[in-house]
Amino acid sequence: MQEDKPTKKVAVVGGGLAGALMAVYMAKRGFKVDVYEARKDPRSEATIRGRSVNLAFSVRGIESLKAVGADDSVRELGIPMNARMIHSHNGRTTPIPYGKKGQFLLSVERQKLNKDLLSVAETYPGVDLHFEHKLIASDLERGHLSFRRNGNDDQRLEVDADLVIGSDGAYSTIRRELLRRPRFDFSQEYIPHGYKELCLAPTKDGEFAMAVNYLHIWPRQTFMMIALPNQDKSFTCTLFLPFEEFDKMKTKEAVLDFFQAEFPDFLALMGEENLVEEYFRNPVAPMISVKCHPYHVRDKVVIIGDAAHAMVPFYGQGTNCAFEDCLVFDGLLEKHSNDFGAVLAEYSRTRNKDVEAMCDLAMYNYIEMRALVTSPVFLMKKKLFNFLHWIMPNTFIPLYTMVSFSQIPYHTVIERSHWQDKVVWRAAVATAVVTGIGAIITALRITKKDLKLF
Amino acid sequence: MQEDKPTKKVAVVGGGLAGALMAVYMAKRGFKVDVYEARKDPRSEATIRGRSVNLAFSVRGIESLKAVGADDSVRELGIPMNARMIHSHNGRTTPIPYGKKGQFLLSVERQKLNKDLLSVAETYPGVDLHFEHKLIASDLERGHLSFRRNGNDDQRLEVDADLVIGSDGAYSTIRRELLRRPRFDFSQEYIPHGYKELCLAPTKDGEFAMAVNYLHIWPRQTFMMIALPNQDKSFTCTLFLPFEEFDKMKTKEAVLDFFQAEFPDFLALMGEENLVEEYFRNPVAPMISVKCHPYHVRDKVVIIGDAAHAMVPFYGQGTNCAFEDCLVFDGLLEKHSNDFGAVLAEYSRTRNKDVEAMCDLAMYNYIEMRALVTSPVFLMKKKLFNFLHWIMPNTFIPLYTMVSFSQIPYHTVIERSHWQDKVVWRAAVATAVVTGIGAIITALRITKKDLKLF
């Protein structure tokens, strides 16, 4: 028993990706950590498909895992994606690299990573995992939590913690309690699109059905489909479509007509029967963007990950950002010698502007991914920026590179991106003006000369 | 007993201003109306000061009362305010009229109006008012409500209604239930300013201490104070200041120094002792802006007033907008022959863009009132717009006039205002360009002439 030691007790509410990693961070600091998760232990169950977009892991996520030596599983599980692969209507494919050579995203199955992280957390003696513990009441000021166990109203558990970390996801119960407190800013916004997963199985020969090291995108202006490779040589494909369009496709014929018109190459790979089966088996899920402030209550409670900042999935930064929360929070614990009061206040204040910047970037990419990647002007700008980055690697970094392949704080990313756009714009205008003035001067000289001739 | 009639039952949750007026509207349509209010009957209690900015009643509010013949009390209670009265640091006062002659706001005490409206509602045989009924649970899909009565857990009331109207204010319980439903968009934002009320008593001679028919404003860029006249010849004064500034003023000396520096004329009218007493007696209250969508659940539940769209008080439109909700809702009941399903869907869809436009305008006026009214450019623009309105009364209507002295839908107000700004801006640019070209032509002619002279 650890009870005799004056160790501080940390209760982590929610054992998803952020909660599991946070448990590792807290255990490494020597705290007694209890993780309470409403669902069953995912490791005791078969993987359930169809409800969550694959992870596109990048630098922030990897570095946050590396800091506590938990990056092995991602490196083993992940499949590198070096570029986007754009699929046009006629089946033509065009790769657009993510960054420089050697810069790639890792396609990782969400649930596999979650299971691995829970197992890593459990290797620490200070960590206890409690599944089927549903939070039903709390007194945030005092750090008191009441759980219902095993879905049984008679089985209650009362917990007092020195620090409560709410990592209970986009529909967080802890955040709902924060919402009752004075001067808590909050917004949640559903986008008009829903998403549906479709699994593209390996070929008969047991191979990937499409080029493997790519994030495949079928941009169609008002909607799109993407596909990420899995270790079992399947692809997890995700169709993003306005809810009202999903609602219209009620019959097998309607679905096949739609795919024939919009994604004929994909339909050929899937096969009609298979596609229809997948389509009607999997649900349509909504996407929410959540912002709030502050993230903490005194020295007692803090929320992280989706509970604090759920974002739409179009930049692949949801989990990367949640993992970075853990790294940043740990840095503040180090800075303030584990003084929870000081840490929570600074975390709330400084982290807020970064994660809200990321929520905005994700919403921006919601447009870029389905529409802009098909625009020649956009592609030209991308090439120009990559060129500028090549000649001035530290001064000029494309937006996507800053987000995915650096640890520059997100709000600085936006500021620098605006600055870069402005510089390029001014340079373009200046070039135009200089050229124009040159032309005028030339013209005037000619006139003068001409006049002298008379 | 009405139970034998096939009359539809409407439950109004919240007996504040919007709920009381809505009860009148619904009773007029022949529905059985029950109003459930958590607090005691305000008519049985003395008026409590210090917690809510006075109402500045304008056309939308008055017309909404008039439509059900409930405007007498406002007309009797209200004190016309024909203009803003700007108080500068040195005590100089400058009036800025709200609109044309005969256009004024009515200063009305919130609680008096609430009491009157409850009494008006009670004159209808179909209306029953239930005070000290606190909503503790609900099943919105079914229109089922559970109330706790008289603060006693053993006294419960279970209610089934054909239509539930949630008018339970900025911290609405009904809205909290909506928040648990899928695809409900919601935001709440607290502004950095808090407010504190200070009562300026009548003079010794029993007269108003300042000019009566004005909304007095002390704009101080980052903060401000306002004062509205009451029927008892006092003024309700409201200081809007960032919370952190309020927090700094802990002592009598600090308060007096602040008022001496910022509002010396007001301090002279209040007297030092009186000011300090008022200052430390009254609380600092926060201000919240709330937006959400949709406002309804099937044909069963709808939210109105602050429950649907709390706004900061700087345009004086909170209650006007809430009352207009009742008028608009009633219009849709008429249009759809009381078909709740059709009415609720259309109300949600169409009213949303108007009230969110108003929330934005109120936030804009939060800046205008304390800062812009002191800017000469702003005042010049106001004069120009009033002049344009005078020569083109139907084409050109100043923003403030459209909001306060018309029933033009709020979202149209914003669109027209943008259009008007653009037209004026273009006209200004065109004038400048024409003048410039004229000057150049003149200059060239002179040069030609000069050249000929040589």
Side-chain angles (χ1 to χ4, degrees):
Chain A
M1 297 287 283
Q2 305 264 335
E3 250 73 73
D4 304 323
K5 279 176 68 183
T7 313
K8 288 204 171 166
K9 288 173 70 176
V10 176
V12 176
V13 179
L17 287 164
L21 181 60
M22 193 54 127
V24 176
Y25 269 93
M26 294 299 103
K28 263 203 166 306
R29 296 208 145 259
F31 298 126
K32 169 77 189 79
V33 182
D34 289 279
V35 180
Y36 301 94
E37 168 57 49
R39 290 163 304 178
K40 289 187 177 165
D41 189 341
R43 296 167 300 180
S44 64
E45 301 191 316
T47 299
I48 306 153
R49 282 256 173 80
R51 286 307 300 268
S52 62
V53 185
N54 265 31
L55 299 173
F57 236 70
S58 54
V59 167
R60 292 169 205 266
I62 293 167
E63 290 300 319
S64 307
L65 289 170
K66 215 189 268 179
V68 285
D71 54 323
D72 285 357
S73 108
V74 181
R75 295 196 177 282
E76 284 162 25
L77 291 177
I79 299 176
M81 302 182 291
N82 300 302
R84 310 161 186 87
M85 182 67 88
I86 308 298
H87 294 243
S88 60
H89 273 96
N90 60 15
R92 198 159 55 88
T93 52
T94 319
I96 307 176
Y98 279 114
K100 291 188 290 195
K101 237 182 171 157
Q103 286 181 331
F104 52 80
L105 306 180
L106 279 173
S107 172
V108 176
E109 281 174 66
R110 192 177 288 265
Q111 288 181 48
K112 270 196 186 165
L113 178 60
N114 197 167
K115 291 175 186 180
D116 283 1
L117 279 180
L118 288 169
S119 296
V120 171
E122 245 178 2
T123 61
Y124 290 84
V127 174
D128 281 305
L129 307 181
H130 311 271
F131 294 96
E132 296 180 81
H133 278 62
K134 189 179 162 61
L135 184 68
I136 49 167
S138 60
D139 178 346
L140 301 187
E141 291 275 335
R142 285 175 47 227
H144 184 85
L145 306 170
S146 306
F147 295 96
R148 186 175 63 202
R149 299 161 76 177
N150 310 312
N152 189 333
D153 264 332
D154 297 333
Q155 291 190 38
R156 292 283 177 96
L157 179 69
E158 303 294 325
V159 172
D160 283 293
D162 296 301
L163 177 65
V164 174
I165 297 176
S167 50
D168 49 348
Y171 303 94
S172 168
T173 309
I174 299 268
R175 190 184 65 224
R176 202 185 299 143
E177 289 299 310
L178 289 175
L179 197 54
R180 293 165 168 267
R181 297 174 57 82
R183 298 180 68 198
F184 182 72
D185 289 335
F186 172 73
S187 78
Q188 68 177 41
E189 182 189 352
Y190 286 90
I191 57 172
H193 287 62
Y195 71 90
K196 185 192 275 282
E197 280 195 19
L198 303 165
C199 181
L200 176 58
T203 61
K204 279 177 201 154
D205 314 335
E207 285 308 314
F208 282 102
M210 302 184 292
V212 55
N213 293 118
Y214 296 93
L215 194 159
H216 294 265
I217 310 179
W218 290 257
R220 295 295 181 264
Q221 300 293 332
T222 56
F223 58 93
M224 69 169 175
M225 192 167 63
I226 63 170
L228 280 81
N230 295 317
Q231 280 231 312
D232 65 2
K233 304 203 172 174
S234 66
F235 280 90
T236 300
C237 312
T238 312
L239 172 62
F240 298 94
L241 193 69
F243 273 95
E244 53 194 41
E245 299 298 321
F246 273 120
D247 290 344
K248 283 181 201 160
M249 282 195 278
K250 297 283 186 206
T251 66
K252 189 179 152 177
E253 289 70 32
V255 171
L256 289 174
D257 283 353
F258 174 75
F259 277 84
Q260 187 57 55
E262 300 296 344
F263 314 114
D265 59 339
F266 179 75
L267 179 59
L269 293 171
M270 280 289 283
E272 296 197 353
E273 203 175 328
N274 199 10
L275 174 71
V276 169
E277 200 186 313
E278 277 282 302
Y279 187 91
F280 287 107
R281 183 170 55 209
N282 294 335
V284 179
M287 283 166 285
I288 192 172
S289 183
V290 170
K291 293 178 179 178
C292 61
H293 183 79
Y295 298 136
H296 76 295
V297 177
R298 293 178 41 234
D299 58 347
K300 279 293 174 198
V301 180
V302 67
I303 53 173
I304 63 159
D306 283 359
H309 49 74
M311 59 188 73
V312 293
F314 305 103
Y315 226 118
Q317 284 290 307
T319 303
N320 285 290
C321 180
F323 280 10
E324 196 181 57
D325 286 354
C326 302
L327 183 70
V328 168
F329 190 76
D330 186 65
L332 291 175
L333 283 168
E334 188 62 33
K335 175 180 170 186
H336 293 292
S337 311
N338 295 342
D339 173 351
F340 292 154
V343 171
L344 267 51
E346 185 169 338
Y347 179 80
S348 247
R349 200 180 65 245
T350 58
R351 190 67 180 150
N352 179 250
K353 61 180 185 302
D354 282 320
V355 298
E356 294 203 349
M358 190 56 238
C359 288
D360 293 339
L361 285 168
M363 202 59 100
Y364 167 75
N365 234 34
Y366 166 44
I367 301 160
E368 175 168 320
M369 272 186 91
R370 65 189 150 95
L372 292 184
V373 288
T374 63
S375 140
V377 174
F378 172 81
L379 293 175
M380 212 142 76
K381 189 183 157 196
K382 247 200 156 80
K383 277 186 185 156
L384 170 65
F385 273 62
N386 284 335
F387 172 74
L388 291 171
H389 180 46
W390 182 67
I391 57 172
M392 298 178 281
N394 295 318
T395 315
F396 225 94
I397 313 176
L399 175 60
Y400 198 94
T401 304
M402 287 195 279
V403 171
S404 298
F405 305 119
S406 88
Q407 288 182 287
I408 299 170
Y410 291 120
H411 87 276
T412 313
V413 166
I414 288 196
E415 281 169 15
R416 278 189 68 162
S417 172
H418 286 163
W419 173 82
Q420 292 179 172
D421 281 352
K422 209 155 64 183
V423 167
V424 169
W425 174 244
R426 284 197 185 153
V429 170
T431 309
V433 167
V434 167
T435 313
I437 290 175
I440 289 168
I441 288 172
T442 313
L444 283 175
R445 277 190 187 148
I446 288 167
T447 315
K448 244 182 168 176
K449 229 194 303 179
D450 290 352
L451 282 170
K452 274 184 186 164
L453 286 178
F454 285 92
Chain B
M1 294 289 283
Q2 306 264 338
E3 249 73 73
D4 304 324
K5 280 177 66 185
T7 313
K8 289 205 171 165
K9 287 172 70 177
V10 176
V12 176
V13 179
L17 287 164
L21 181 59
M22 194 54 127
V24 176
Y25 269 92
M26 294 299 103
K28 263 203 167 305
R29 297 207 146 259
F31 298 126
K32 170 77 189 80
V33 182
D34 289 279
V35 179
Y36 302 93
E37 167 58 48
R39 290 162 303 178
K40 289 187 176 164
D41 189 341
R43 296 167 300 180
S44 64
E45 302 190 317
T47 300
I48 306 153
R49 282 256 173 78
R51 286 308 300 268
S52 62
V53 186
N54 264 32
L55 298 174
F57 235 72
S58 54
V59 168
R60 292 168 206 268
I62 292 167
E63 291 299 319
S64 306
L65 289 171
K66 217 190 267 179
V68 285
D71 54 323
D72 285 357
S73 107
V74 181
R75 296 198 175 280
E76 283 162 25
L77 291 176
I79 299 177
M81 302 182 291
N82 300 300
R84 312 162 185 86
M85 182 68 88
I86 308 298
H87 293 243
S88 60
H89 274 96
N90 61 14
R92 199 160 53 89
T93 52
T94 319
I96 307 176
Y98 279 115
K100 290 188 290 193
K101 235 181 172 160
Q103 287 181 331
F104 51 80
L105 306 179
L106 278 174
S107 172
V108 176
E109 282 173 64
R110 190 178 289 265
Q111 288 181 47
K112 271 195 185 165
L113 178 60
N114 198 169
K115 291 174 187 181
D116 283 1
L117 278 179
L118 288 170
S119 297
V120 171
E122 243 177 3
T123 61
Y124 290 85
V127 174
D128 281 304
L129 308 180
H130 311 269
F131 295 97
E132 296 180 79
H133 278 63
K134 189 179 162 63
L135 184 68
I136 49 168
S138 60
D139 177 345
L140 301 188
E141 291 274 336
R142 285 176 47 228
H144 184 86
L145 306 170
S146 307
F147 295 95
R148 186 176 63 203
R149 299 160 77 176
N150 310 310
N152 189 332
D153 266 331
D154 297 334
Q155 290 190 40
R156 293 281 177 100
L157 179 70
E158 304 294 326
V159 173
D160 283 295
D162 296 301
L163 176 64
V164 175
I165 298 176
S167 51
D168 49 347
Y171 303 95
S172 168
T173 309
I174 299 268
R175 191 184 64 225
R176 202 184 300 142
E177 288 300 310
L178 289 176
L179 198 53
R180 294 164 169 266
R181 296 173 57 83
R183 299 181 67 198
F184 182 72
D185 289 335
F186 173 73
S187 76
Q188 68 177 41
E189 181 189 350
Y190 286 91
I191 57 172
H193 287 62
Y195 72 90
K196 185 192 276 283
E197 280 195 20
L198 304 165
C199 181
L200 176 58
T203 62
K204 279 176 202 155
D205 314 335
E207 285 307 314
F208 282 103
M210 301 184 295
V212 55
N213 293 118
Y214 296 94
L215 195 160
H216 293 265
I217 311 179
W218 290 256
R220 296 294 181 263
Q221 301 293 333
T222 56
F223 58 94
M224 69 168 174
M225 191 167 64
I226 65 171
L228 280 81
N230 296 317
Q231 280 231 313
D232 65 1
K233 304 204 172 174
S234 67
F235 280 91
T236 300
C237 311
T238 313
L239 172 63
F240 298 95
L241 194 69
F243 272 95
E244 53 193 39
E245 298 298 322
F246 272 119
D247 290 345
K248 282 182 200 161
M249 281 195 279
K250 297 282 185 206
T251 65
K252 190 179 151 177
E253 290 70 30
V255 171
L256 289 174
D257 283 354
F258 174 74
F259 277 83
Q260 187 58 56
E262 300 295 344
F263 314 114
D265 58 340
F266 178 75
L267 179 59
L269 291 171
M270 280 289 282
E272 296 196 352
E273 202 175 328
N274 199 8
L275 173 72
V276 169
E277 199 186 312
E278 276 282 304
Y279 187 91
F280 287 107
R281 183 170 56 209
N282 294 335
V284 178
M287 282 165 286
I288 192 172
S289 183
V290 170
K291 293 178 179 178
C292 61
H293 184 79
Y295 298 136
H296 75 296
V297 177
R298 293 178 42 236
D299 60 346
K300 279 293 175 197
V301 180
V302 67
I303 54 173
I304 63 160
D306 283 359
H309 50 72
M311 58 187 74
V312 294
F314 304 103
Y315 227 118
Q317 285 289 308
T319 304
N320 284 291
C321 180
F323 280 11
E324 196 181 58
D325 286 354
C326 301
L327 183 69
V328 168
F329 191 76
D330 186 64
L332 291 175
L333 283 169
E334 189 62 33
K335 175 180 170 187
H336 293 292
S337 311
N338 296 341
D339 173 351
F340 292 155
V343 171
L344 268 51
E346 184 169 338
Y347 178 80
S348 248
R349 198 180 66 246
T350 57
R351 190 67 181 150
N352 179 250
K353 61 181 187 300
D354 282 321
V355 299
E356 295 203 348
M358 191 56 238
C359 287
D360 293 338
L361 284 168
M363 202 60 100
Y364 166 76
N365 235 33
Y366 166 45
I367 301 159
E368 174 168 322
M369 272 186 91
R370 65 189 148 96
L372 292 184
V373 288
T374 63
S375 140
V377 174
F378 172 80
L379 294 175
M380 213 140 76
K381 188 182 156 196
K382 246 197 159 84
K383 276 184 185 156
L384 170 65
F385 273 61
N386 284 335
F387 172 73
L388 291 171
H389 181 45
W390 182 66
I391 57 171
M392 298 177 281
N394 294 318
T395 316
F396 225 93
I397 313 177
L399 175 58
Y400 198 94
T401 304
M402 285 195 279
V403 172
S404 299
F405 305 118
S406 88
Q407 289 182 286
I408 299 169
Y410 291 120
H411 87 276
T412 312
V413 165
I414 288 196
E415 282 169 15
R416 279 188 67 162
S417 172
H418 286 162
W419 174 81
Q420 291 179 173
D421 281 352
K422 208 156 63 184
V423 166
V424 168
W425 174 245
R426 285 197 183 153
V429 170
T431 309
V433 168
V434 167
T435 313
I437 291 175
I440 290 167
I441 289 171
T442 312
L444 283 176
R445 277 190 187 149
I446 286 168
T447 316
K448 246 180 166 177
K449 226 195 309 179
D450 290 354
L451 283 169
K452 275 184 185 163
L453 286 177
F454 285 92

